[in-house]
Amino acid sequence: MNSKSVSVGISHPFDCNYIEGNTEQLLVIQEQQIDANLFEQLLGMGFRRNGNSIYKPRCPSCDACQSIRLNVHDFVLSKRQKRTLKSNQDLHWKVTHQTRPEHYQLYQRYINERHQDGPMYPASQSQYDDFLLSDWLPPMFIEVFDKDKLIGVAVTDNLPHSFSAIYSYFDPDYADRSLGSLMILIQCQLAKSMGKKFLYLGYQIDQNRKMRYKRQYRPYQILTPQGWQISEKLDPLSC
């Protein structure tokens, strides 16, 4: 960690958004400005970004949220992931560093149609801005298109040695395209091409059905009390 000190607080307990019946608490970085190098070090310690805030779960009786990342140079495509790439060869993507109205419109459809049971429902412009945008680290937006139609967006932080996947969303009409998986594969490919080492995927939560998918990208690394531990190599169960 560099010499700049940061102020860390802890939130009041609140109902967990991921495991029903549990209570959640967060460590929160209370700084107005964090530079990209310091934030990348905090990522390596298990923190995440939400808007301008940096946080890390610190729940007294639960350690279900496990930070997970990929070394993009070691990543091996599974059979399922190869099929996802092949079946989406007709799509194309590009990177932009500016959000635009179409991004929110797609986000609104995605949240309101697919996540009515989640904490982000119903979607609003202010919620989108507060969740995904940042004054001190403007994200990049990986846009996925079907011809001229925007069908997916991966909001990603570009750091000196890594990418951090903040959130991805897509057109519900394309649910059978595995666009969530496709956008992780695109982020991995782009990170590797830009000489990055890691793609941070957030928290793996085995007890939550919607949050188990990140173990499908192998070999992954999980942050444990002993440091980052590498998963076993690709096995047939992950294909």
Side-chain angles (χ1 to χ4, degrees):
M1 180 88 51
N2 67 25
S3 59
K4 176 179 170 63
S5 62
V6 295
S7 176
V8 181
I10 190 162
S11 71
H12 292 292
F14 57 94
D15 291 339
C16 180
N17 291 318
Y18 300 108
I19 303 176
E20 187 175 355
N22 279 20
T23 299
E24 185 176 356
Q25 277 188 289
L26 302 175
L27 286 179
V28 181
I29 302 292
Q30 299 173 323
E31 294 289 324
Q32 293 299 314
Q33 293 289 327
I34 300 287
D35 65 57
N37 287 288
L38 177 56
F39 178 50
E40 190 166 44
Q41 293 178 63
L42 291 168
L43 275 175
M45 298 168 62
F47 284 85
R48 292 284 289 166
R49 180 180 73 78
N50 185 325
N52 285 323
S53 300
I54 299 174
Y55 72 94
K56 178 182 180 180
R58 183 68 178 270
C59 306
S61 59
C62 178
D63 59 359
C65 294
Q66 298 178 294
S67 294
I68 186 169
R69 70 185 184 186
L70 303 178
N71 183 322
V72 297
H73 299 278
D74 294 339
F75 173 63
V76 178
L77 288 167
S78 69
K79 292 179 181 177
R80 178 182 298 174
Q81 290 155 2
K82 289 177 181 177
R83 289 195 295 269
T84 295
L85 290 174
K86 185 175 182 179
S87 64
N88 287 297
Q89 290 182 101
D90 58 321
L91 307 179
H92 65 279
W93 58 272
K94 69 176 184 179
V95 174
T96 180
H97 293 88
Q98 299 292 329
T99 188
R100 51 195 182 93
E102 292 85 351
H103 291 174
Y104 171 68
Q105 292 162 12
L106 187 59
Y107 172 86
Q108 183 181 44
R109 276 198 64 202
Y110 176 77
I111 295 296
N112 291 350
E113 293 186 30
R114 291 182 60 90
H115 291 284
Q116 296 181 11
D117 59 343
M120 294 183 290
Y121 176 83
S124 69
Q125 182 71 60
S126 61
Q127 175 219 65
Y128 172 89
D129 294 344
D130 291 344
F131 172 35
L132 296 176
L133 307 185
S134 171
D135 296 325
W136 53 267
L137 183 64
M140 64 181 185
F141 303 88
I142 301 173
E143 301 176 325
V144 180
F145 293 88
D146 182 3
K147 299 181 175 62
D148 295 329
K149 181 180 181 182
L150 179 69
I151 62 170
V153 177
V155 185
T156 311
D157 283 344
N158 180 6
L159 299 160
H161 307 290
S162 60
F163 280 177
S164 179
I166 302 300
Y167 196 70
S168 296
Y169 52 94
F170 56 84
D171 188 327
D173 292 342
Y174 288 74
D176 61 346
R177 288 283 201 137
S178 299
L179 293 184
S181 176
L182 176 66
M183 286 187 280
I184 290 178
L185 299 177
I186 291 172
Q187 288 174 96
C188 192
Q189 174 187 336
L190 181 59
K192 186 175 181 179
S193 71
M194 292 176 62
K196 310 296 183 181
K197 185 172 184 180
F198 296 116
L199 170 61
Y200 286 87
L201 295 177
Y203 298 117
Q204 167 68 25
I205 307 173
D206 292 333
Q207 292 91 326
N208 184 297
R209 178 180 56 82
K210 293 182 178 180
M211 300 292 287
R212 296 173 187 165
Y213 65 92
K214 296 170 186 176
R215 290 190 189 272
Q216 297 173 11
Y217 302 88
R218 294 175 174 253
Y220 55 80
Q221 299 181 12
I222 291 284
L223 183 59
T224 73
Q226 292 74 42
W228 288 96
Q229 302 293 318
I230 302 174
S231 69
E232 296 177 355
K233 294 295 184 180
L234 187 66
D235 60 61
L237 293 178
S238 67
C239 300

